[in-house]
Amino acid sequence: MSDQTNILRLVADRLRVARRVVVVTGAGVSAESGLRTFRGATAADMPKDMQALWREFDPMKLATPEAFDANPEMVTRWYDWRRLGCLAAEPNPGHTALAAMERHIASRGGDFALFTQNVDRLHHRAGSQRVFELHGSIIEWRCVQTGETFEPEPTPFERFPPPSPFHPGALLRPNVVWFGEALPESVLLAAFDLAPKADLFFTIGTSSVVYPAAGFVEMAAREGAFTVEVNKDDTAATTRVDAVLRGPSGEILPRLIELAFEV
Ligand code: OAD
């Protein structure tokens, strides 16, 4: 039996009896749905439109409040392009396995929480119930004047920057968290409450370089959680976890659920 199979069995044994499971996910979980990650190893011969986003685009010109103030048309066009990509994507077996994990844990009275850095809503669409969006959602847009949010039609905006339907003369922006902005307080409070209580903690498909999400694994480990990384490659968290499952989450997570719950 390979090392990886042994580790998978060990994690499955932990999952079978876990009472409190906390998961943090990142862009890698949606990679098998065809959505581009932000960073990470990219094959040199990969077409440009499949490369990690922050290799092709400058986050400081697109993902900050200053960028929006300087060029709202460019920023909203870019986010609308990504919004339509997210709406066209389908959840993959990794998302589905996490929804199944939640159902199994909940069915025996356990506690499950999924914190995602992803803005694509694919966890919800796969059936996950207790999802905390750390970086907001690109599917919702917000009036910069009133703060009201709504889900625009699944077609491109007609004008850029798009006008707000809530306040004359105001603009819309995606309801995401940009660099330099605060994360939603209720989501952060939930993470600070639940991560230290976890007995099993997963960090999945994230490079673990963007804080505060990258720090949750330590919060859990400090209080005794068994920590597991699922990732295609090494990350900033790899040396800090108890077990590493190396490979695509869309393959590893369904195998883990099968082993843990014999489905
Ligand atoms: P990154 O793009 O930084 O990291 C993606 C991770 O997924 C890398 O570690 C890859 O090795 C891994 N990966 C790729 N394909 C995978 C697969 N099929 N299965 C498992 N792992 C895979 O994405 P995040 O860590 O989510 O924030 O990035 C965090 C934040 O930085 C994002 O929310 C975004 C970005 O800037 C904002 O825009 C505010």
Side-chain angles (χ1 to χ4, degrees):
M1 208 182 287
S2 73
D3 276 1
Q4 174 90 347
T5 308
N6 281 330
I7 298 170
L8 201 62
R9 284 188 191 286
L10 181 135
V11 175
D13 289 344
R14 296 260 178 181
L15 182 56
R16 197 174 305 118
V17 296
R19 303 290 308 158
R20 289 174 169 273
V21 178
V22 173
V23 178
V24 61
T25 65
V29 163
S30 297
E32 288 153 273
S33 295
L35 297 180
R36 293 161 69 176
T37 60
F38 296 94
R39 312 173 181 80
T42 305
D45 58 354
M46 198 179 258
K48 198 173 172 195
D49 63 0
M50 287 303 294
Q51 305 240 345
L53 284 167
W54 294 155
R55 282 173 187 256
E56 184 181 349
F57 302 101
D58 179 353
M60 292 305 122
K61 294 205 172 106
L62 291 164
T64 66
E66 293 76 19
F68 179 70
D69 289 343
N71 195 340
E73 175 178 344
M74 182 176 75
V75 169
T76 52
R77 272 189 196 281
W78 190 74
Y79 275 93
D80 199 40
W81 165 68
R82 284 188 52 216
R83 173 178 77 97
L84 296 171
C86 293
L87 287 170
E90 293 295 333
N92 67 58
H95 296 108
T96 312
L98 286 171
M101 188 187 287
E102 177 173 16
R103 281 196 301 278
H104 283 288
I105 302 288
S107 72
R108 54 173 160 73
D111 202 61
F112 178 94
L114 171 53
F115 291 88
T116 188
Q117 298 166 88
N118 300 344
V119 295
D120 56 33
R121 284 272 156 95
L122 289 179
H123 285 303
H124 297 82
R125 286 171 55 199
S128 287
Q129 301 287 318
R130 198 161 178 225
V131 184
F132 295 95
E133 293 177 319
L134 290 157
H135 294 166
S137 166
I138 205 170
I139 307 302
E140 284 180 1
W141 286 53
R142 181 168 95 220
C143 173
V144 297
Q145 191 74 30
T146 68
E148 285 163 280
T149 60
F150 77 119
E151 256 185 52
E153 293 296 309
T155 49
F157 285 111
E158 284 166 13
R159 282 168 47 200
F160 292 95
S164 166
F166 300 109
H167 189 88
L171 297 183
L172 282 177
R173 57 162 284 180
N175 196 26
V176 299
V177 176
W178 280 327
F179 289 105
E181 293 186 318
L183 273 64
E185 194 185 352
S186 60
V187 176
L188 269 185
L189 289 175
F192 292 149
D193 176 37
L194 297 172
K197 290 182 185 155
D199 48 19
L200 184 56
F201 184 98
F202 289 93
T203 172
I204 307 175
T206 173
S207 55
S208 292
V209 293
V210 175
Y211 281 77
F216 296 165
V217 64
E218 257 126 27
M219 285 166 48
R222 216 177 294 130
E223 299 301 322
F226 187 83
T227 56
V228 183
E229 176 175 74
V230 180
N231 201 297
K232 215 165 59 56
D233 295 305
D234 279 355
T235 75
T238 301
T239 55
R240 298 186 263 145
V241 293
D242 296 308
V244 176
L245 293 169
R246 183 64 66 241
S249 48
E251 291 173 22
I252 289 181
L253 293 172
R255 285 177 62 204
L256 182 63
I257 298 301
E258 202 181 303
L259 278 173
F261 303 110
E262 288 158 3
V263 287

